[in-house]
Amino acid sequence: RTISPIRRQNVRKRGRKDQIGLFYRFLYFFFIYIRSSLMPVIKQHYVPQFFLRFFGWKGKKKYLINIYNIQNLINHENVCVEDICREEYFYGEDGIIETDLAKLETEWASNFRRVIDGRRHTLLPKIKVSIYKFIAYQLLRTLSAKKYLDNSITGLEDLLRYKGIKLQPLKKDIKILLSMPDEVYEAIRDLNSVIIDNTTDVDFIISDNPCICTNIFTNIAIGLKLIGTIIFIPISPKRLLLLYDRKSVNLKLMNYRIINKEEINSINSYQYINANQLLIGNNFEFFTNKVHISKLEGYRKQKMEYNKIDSVEAGRKLLVTNKSDFIPHKKIETKIAGSNAKITSIIIFSTVSL
């Protein structure tokens, strides 16, 4: 079969166009790669995008999520995940910390997905190390943590100035906090952990400060190694990760699930108390009740009071204490389905009395 000269010429032209198209596509992706390698990301997230996606859904082009601003009491729907929980050059303009975190987040995202999609209520050893390191970083990297650092330094400067002690201005930098994840990991690595399922029709929510720390024995916690430490964080609308001190809490790791939506509202209330500004998820109706809001705002103020800097004078010496960013604990009895024993005052879920 012969091909006419005109058709042959058209085929050659199409071939050349395809080659040119491939060449320009290669240049485009090469430019994107070089730009991402050499230029730091301007908008840097303090809650990872991969984690936010667990509470959102895939839109036509990007992941979307619902948020509730507790400062102006406004609900925003279908917000792009890329646009929340971020600040310009939050970790610095050199992009070093942002790049290092991006590498860690790839591993964290994979391990969290395995936990969320799985049926286990305990963490496998390798996954446990990875997720505990995520918690160590997340406790240190939020905007709330940065404000806590700034307020602590300001409080210390004001206190020393009031006592007549002169000192050079102290540096307020998120890099101070992000130099300590290894120490935080060592402090929490001995905590036991369990995954708890939410079987109600009310979803877990998170906030822009999603890791909750409290202590069952004291309202004035001074460290993560203190006996009675509890840390928890929802990892999806239907699963929650709980870290607890096995020296003071005895849990049977079997069939853990929550069947009472009031318990879920109590858990979600912690996110309100701990939040800097945003609640993230799908159900915010509970937080539109003025009575509930009034009580939760009281808890937020109480938390700020507990976490202020204190000092004690001993002769010519001055002891300054800066307490950890904990939420005060309130004892209430609760029970988890599947366990024969009642958990009194340890499953912090019910500790917010509403």
Side-chain angles (χ1 to χ4, degrees):
R1 181 179 175 182
T2 59
I3 301 177
S4 67
I6 295 176
R7 188 176 178 184
R8 187 181 294 113
Q9 187 177 6
N10 290 337
V11 170
R12 289 173 180 169
K13 286 181 179 179
R14 275 202 306 272
R16 284 197 295 272
K17 287 181 180 179
D18 290 342
Q19 290 176 355
I20 293 172
L22 288 172
F23 175 72
Y24 280 113
R25 184 178 297 180
F26 169 77
L27 284 181
Y28 171 76
F29 285 110
F30 181 73
F31 171 75
I32 293 295
Y33 171 77
I34 293 298
R35 188 178 67 173
S36 62
S37 300
L38 299 180
M39 298 178 61
V41 177
I42 297 176
K43 300 287 187 178
Q44 300 171 355
H45 287 79
Y46 48 84
V47 179
Q49 291 188 68
F50 84 82
F51 194 77
L52 295 172
R53 292 188 192 111
F54 295 150
F55 295 84
W57 62 92
K58 184 69 177 294
K60 290 184 178 179
K61 294 183 178 180
K62 298 181 179 181
Y63 275 87
L64 304 176
I65 207 165
N66 295 334
I67 62 174
Y68 183 76
N69 191 312
I70 64 177
Q71 292 185 353
N72 54 31
L73 306 181
I74 295 178
N75 183 20
H76 301 275
E77 297 182 348
N78 301 320
V79 178
C80 183
V81 165
E82 293 180 4
D83 297 333
I84 64 172
C85 299
R86 67 180 192 177
E87 291 283 318
E88 287 191 8
Y89 296 120
F90 186 67
Y91 305 114
E93 296 186 13
D94 56 15
I96 294 175
I97 293 178
E98 173 72 11
T99 301
D100 291 342
L101 286 173
K103 295 175 182 177
L104 292 171
E105 287 169 8
T106 301
E107 175 191 336
W108 292 338
S110 174
N111 288 330
F112 268 108
R113 176 50 64 189
R114 291 177 64 184
V115 174
I116 292 170
D117 293 342
R119 296 184 178 181
R120 293 179 60 92
H121 290 87
T122 56
L123 299 175
L124 295 172
K126 289 184 178 179
I127 291 181
K128 179 179 177 179
V129 171
S130 176
I131 288 181
Y132 274 42
K133 287 185 176 180
F134 164 84
I135 291 174
Y137 272 92
Q138 195 57 52
L139 287 170
L140 298 169
R141 67 183 286 189
T142 64
L143 187 59
S144 294
K146 175 64 166 57
K147 288 183 177 180
Y148 180 73
L149 172 69
D150 293 349
N151 292 337
S152 297
I153 292 176
T154 300
L156 177 61
E157 290 175 333
D158 292 344
L159 176 63
L160 296 179
R161 194 177 296 113
Y162 175 76
K163 298 294 182 180
I165 301 173
K166 296 181 180 180
L167 74 163
Q168 295 293 328
L170 301 175
K171 189 176 182 180
K172 301 176 181 178
D173 194 332
I174 189 68
K175 294 179 181 178
I176 296 174
L177 292 174
L178 290 174
S179 67
M180 300 187 293
D182 290 340
E183 288 81 356
V184 174
Y185 171 74
E186 288 299 320
I188 67 174
R189 63 180 299 195
D190 290 334
L191 295 177
N192 273 20
S193 58
V194 63
I195 306 295
I196 298 175
D197 292 328
N198 172 7
T199 61
T200 74
D201 57 358
V202 178
D203 289 342
F204 288 131
I205 64 171
I206 56 171
S207 70
D208 50 7
N209 189 23
C211 283
I212 308 297
C213 294
T214 189
N215 190 290
I216 65 173
F217 293 133
T218 177
N219 285 332
I220 309 176
I222 55 174
L224 290 169
K225 285 191 173 182
L226 199 67
I227 187 170
T229 294
I230 300 280
I231 301 173
F232 68 93
I233 178 173
I235 59 176
S236 80
K238 295 301 180 184
R239 304 207 89 185
L240 177 141
L241 173 64
L242 168 69
L243 278 60
Y244 62 95
D245 180 9
R246 64 175 176 267
K247 301 182 187 71
S248 55
V249 177
N250 183 20
L251 290 180
K252 294 181 179 180
L253 306 181
M254 53 180 291
N255 300 327
Y256 279 97
R257 62 188 185 277
I258 300 175
I259 60 176
N260 184 350
K261 66 180 181 180
E262 297 304 319
E263 297 289 338
I264 304 301
N265 286 332
S266 292
I267 296 171
N268 289 341
S269 295
Y270 265 95
Q271 294 295 332
Y272 186 101
I273 297 169
N274 210 45
N276 176 58
Q277 183 176 5
L278 298 179
L279 298 180
I280 301 161
N282 291 316
N283 55 296
F284 305 123
E285 292 140 11
F286 182 77
F287 302 102
T288 59
N289 185 303
K290 291 184 179 180
V291 176
H292 293 161
I293 291 298
S294 177
K295 289 185 177 181
L296 291 175
E297 284 297 328
Y299 283 122
R300 281 172 65 86
K301 291 178 182 178
Q302 189 180 33
K303 177 192 173 188
M304 295 176 188
E305 288 297 320
Y306 275 122
N307 293 335
K308 282 185 177 179
I309 281 186
D310 288 332
S311 65
V312 177
E313 291 190 51
R316 299 176 60 185
K317 296 181 179 180
L318 179 68
L319 175 65
V320 179
T321 62
N322 184 26
K323 295 179 286 294
S324 301
D325 191 13
F326 271 56
I327 294 180
H329 177 83
K330 293 187 177 296
K331 295 182 180 179
I332 286 186
E333 189 178 79
T334 186
K335 183 176 180 180
I336 298 180
S339 173
N340 294 324
K342 288 185 177 180
I343 312 302
T344 304
S345 78
I346 61 91
I347 301 281
I348 30 27
F349 310 152
S350 295
T351 59
V352 178
S353 176
L354 298 171

